[in-house]
């Protein structure tokens, strides 16, 4: 849960941005919107149904293989992955982990291999918790997504009185939250027993802007996961020739088309173990566990990842068992954005012409590798917001970007999007809205007095003055809020026990009244400053609304709330009756807390 101070900071920031958006010239906004709309990282939560029904609908544990392959396909560094395993409750959970090394990927895959099965199923539990995980750990500059692996069916515990309508309502709430936050849900339906509820999964994906897939065999995984990656990252899957094993090495050419490729994922699917060799465009053999390439294997797939590969033809040599069918997919990863240059005005009328130019950027800078433009085509997609009609027109490839002119066909409002594409990827610009006097416009352009056309409005001094005033006002506001929070009190009490993890023994319960604390206190104070438990200083309690309390781990990390692991770095809210389990690394002890009001 967000602390009150964070909410106030966010509110103040939004007020400031909203105010500036009214002052800034509208012509400057398309470029800013394009930059904001493009992301280069992924924050993904993998959600798996681990109920007993999976013993028949996923008897080969395809879901585990799919999740591990997804992790292997991610870049070596930077992206975040979380895991939710559910039945009719969250069975196991792993908060978003930022991948910084091969060891991080191995840790995630080991966690997946340890997942067990349990009774009952409620799909709303898994989806809602995935959204919650993203809310508490996603990077604002990353693109969020959920991948759900399930058979789409519910099986409720009758003793709890849970109904389908209650589950539907909870799922609808989670879907609405995903829609509002731009979180697509991609579903992989597991159908080994033929009892898949494909309509439920397809509807979930469709509502959130994801895609739905069905499989009953691991053979489909490379294609499915490649398509999920491609759709989310705006890439095109490159299909390489399939081969039939003959006991000898067979060669497949992997063409890296340009120097802008960050990574190339070569997924190889075979029912039996394969042997792989690789040579670069110069003919030199490549170590498959080096800075140039990484090989990941599982019982159903092999994946070769080329890191910042050299342009040219790489040679992949695969040895498979005789008569074994071997499918190979290729997926490139680019860190590129398509940015539209600012237009002069956003108010037009019928017959006016809008000149448009766009270019690819890498890390916010114009693309240096102009050869990448050679085979690209660009299209202007025009959506009439008043009629719902969509049209397309080609744009010129200038060799360093794309250019064209849109002539306003009627006094309507329009949304313009530029799409640039080549064989291995595509990019879309952030949308630009053209007000040409439709339902939300006047139909005429504002007039400018004679002689004023070339006289710029003094935006800079006005903006600087307004910013100075806002900074002072926000500073006063924060100071008053800080003083109020500093003296805010607590209610209720905490029951504290300490369990020795070596012996299993627990201390007698201690009842700690909270009324004497003001503003904040840390767990070490509650434990009477015992030197042995000094690491509990990093757990800080602050008051919240409605007689609730926020606990936050200032050093980052997880704790267990009511038996479930949660990320405490951004704050966890406690209400009456909530229980916490806080493991200590240095003392081999666990602090058990129950909060009562």
């Amino acid at each position: 849960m967000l602390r009150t101070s964070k909410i106030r900071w966010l509110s103040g920031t939004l007020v400031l941005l909203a105010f500036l958006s009214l002052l800034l010239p509208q012509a400057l906004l398309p470029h800013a919107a394009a930059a904001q709309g493009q992301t280069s990282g992924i924050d993904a939560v993998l959600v798996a149904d681990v109920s007993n029904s999976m013993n028949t609908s996923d008897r080969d544990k395809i879901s585990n293989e799919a999740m591990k392959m997804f992790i292997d396909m991610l870049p070596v560094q930077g992206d975040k992955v979380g895991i939710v395993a559910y039945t009719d409750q969250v069975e196991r959970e792993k908060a978003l982990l930022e991948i910084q090394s091969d060891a991080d990927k191995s840790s995630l895959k080991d966690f997946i291999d340890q997942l067990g099965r349990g009774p009952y199923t409620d799909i709303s539990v898994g989806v809602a918790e995935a959204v919650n995980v993203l809310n508490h750990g996603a990077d604002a500059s990353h693109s969020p997504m959920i991948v759900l692996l399930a058979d789409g069916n519910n099986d409720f515990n009758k003793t709890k009185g849970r109904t389908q309508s209650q589950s539907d309502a909870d799922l609808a709430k989670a879907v609405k939250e995903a829609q509002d936050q731009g979180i697509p849900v991609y579903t992989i339906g597991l159908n080994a027993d033929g009892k898949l509820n494909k309509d439920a999964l397809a509807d979930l994906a469709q509502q959130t802007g994801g895609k739905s897939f069905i499989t009953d065999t691991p053979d489909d995984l490379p294609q499915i996961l490649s398509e999920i990656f491609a759709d989310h990252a705006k890439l095109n899957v490159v299909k390489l020739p399939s081969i039939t094993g003959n006991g000898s090495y067979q060669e497949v050419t992997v063409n890296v088309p340009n120097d802008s490729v960050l990574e190339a994922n070569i997924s190889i699917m075979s029912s039996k173990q394969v042997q792989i060799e690789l040579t670069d465009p110069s003919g030199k053999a490549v170590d498959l566990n080096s800075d140039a390439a990484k090989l990941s294997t599982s019982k159903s797939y092999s994946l070769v990842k080329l890191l910042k590969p050299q342009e040219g033809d790489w040679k992949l040599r695969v040895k498979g068992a005789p008569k074994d069918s071997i499918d190979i997919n290729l997926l490139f990863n680019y860190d590129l954005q398509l940015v539209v240059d600012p237009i002069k005005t956003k108010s037009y009328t019928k017959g006016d012409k809008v000149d448009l130019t766009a270019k690819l950027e890498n890390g916010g800078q114009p693309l240096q590798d102009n050869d990448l433009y050679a085979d690209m085509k660009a299209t202007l997609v025009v959506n009439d917001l008043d009629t719902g009609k969509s049209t397309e027109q080609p744009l010129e490839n200038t060799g360093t970007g794309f250019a064209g002119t849109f002539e306003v066909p009627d006094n309507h409002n329009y949304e313009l999007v530029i799409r640039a594409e080549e064989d291995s990827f595509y990019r879309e610009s952030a949308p630009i809205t053209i007000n040409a006097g439709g339902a939300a416009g006047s139909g005429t352009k504002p007039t400018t007095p004679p002689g004023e056309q070339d006289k710029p409005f003094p935006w800079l001094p006005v903006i600087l003055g307004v910013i100075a005033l806002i900074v002072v006002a926000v500073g006063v506001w924060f100071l008053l809020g800080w003083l109020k929070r500093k003296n805010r009190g607590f209610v209720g009490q905490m029951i504290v026990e300490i369990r020795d993890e070596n012996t299993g023994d627990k201390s007698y319960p201690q009842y700690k009244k909270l009324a004497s604390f003001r503003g904040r206190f840390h767990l070490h104070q509650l434990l009477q400053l015992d030197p042995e438990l000094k690491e509990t200083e990093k757990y800080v309690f602050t008051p919240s609304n409605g007689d609730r309390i926020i606990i936050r781990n200032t050093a980052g990390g997880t704790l267990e709330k009511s038996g479930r692991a949660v990320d405490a770095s951004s704050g966890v809210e406690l209400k009456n009756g909530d229980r916490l389990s806080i493991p200590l690394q240095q003392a081999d002890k666990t602090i058990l807390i129950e909060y009562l009001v």
Side-chain angles (χ1 to χ4, degrees), residues 183-259:
I183 304 173
V185 179
Y186 294 88
T187 64
I188 301 178
L190 305 168
N191 194 35
D193 59 2
K195 297 179 180 180
L196 177 73
N197 188 347
K198 63 179 181 181
D199 292 338
L201 296 177
D203 184 56
L204 177 56
Q206 188 275 329
Q207 289 187 70
T208 58
K211 288 187 175 181
S212 184
F213 303 88
I214 299 173
T215 182
D216 58 7
T217 170
D219 295 348
D220 298 332
L221 291 184
Q223 186 66 32
I224 289 174
L225 293 173
S226 294
E227 289 190 32
I228 289 175
F229 259 94
D231 184 74
H232 196 69
K234 296 181 173 58
L235 304 170
N236 292 326
V237 180
V238 180
K239 184 69 176 177
L240 296 179
S242 298
I243 60 177
T244 301
N246 59 12
S248 300
Y249 279 103
Q250 299 179 70
E251 189 171 272
V252 176
T253 299
V254 178
N255 177 258
V256 176
N258 53 72
D259 288 333

Side-chain angles (χ1 to χ4, degrees), residues 358-402:
K359 59 183 178 296
L360 292 169
E361 290 188 355
N362 188 333
Q365 300 298 318
L367 182 66
Q368 300 299 315
D369 182 14
N370 289 334
D371 291 341
L372 185 59
Y373 286 105
D375 298 321
M376 297 195 71
K377 295 181 180 180
T379 303
L380 174 63
V381 181
V382 180
N383 296 310
D384 188 322
L385 299 179
D386 295 343
T387 66
K389 182 180 178 182
S390 180
T391 59
E392 296 183 1
Q393 70 180 64
L395 297 179
E396 177 189 1
N397 184 333
T398 64
T400 57
F402 311 99

Side-chain angles (χ1 to χ4, degrees), residues 524 527-537 584 586-587:
H524 198 212
L527 300 173
Q528 299 178 333
L529 305 178
D530 185 344
E532 182 187 13
L533 308 176
K534 185 174 177 57
E535 68 178 290
T536 57
E537 287 181 340
L584 305 183
Q586 300 172 9

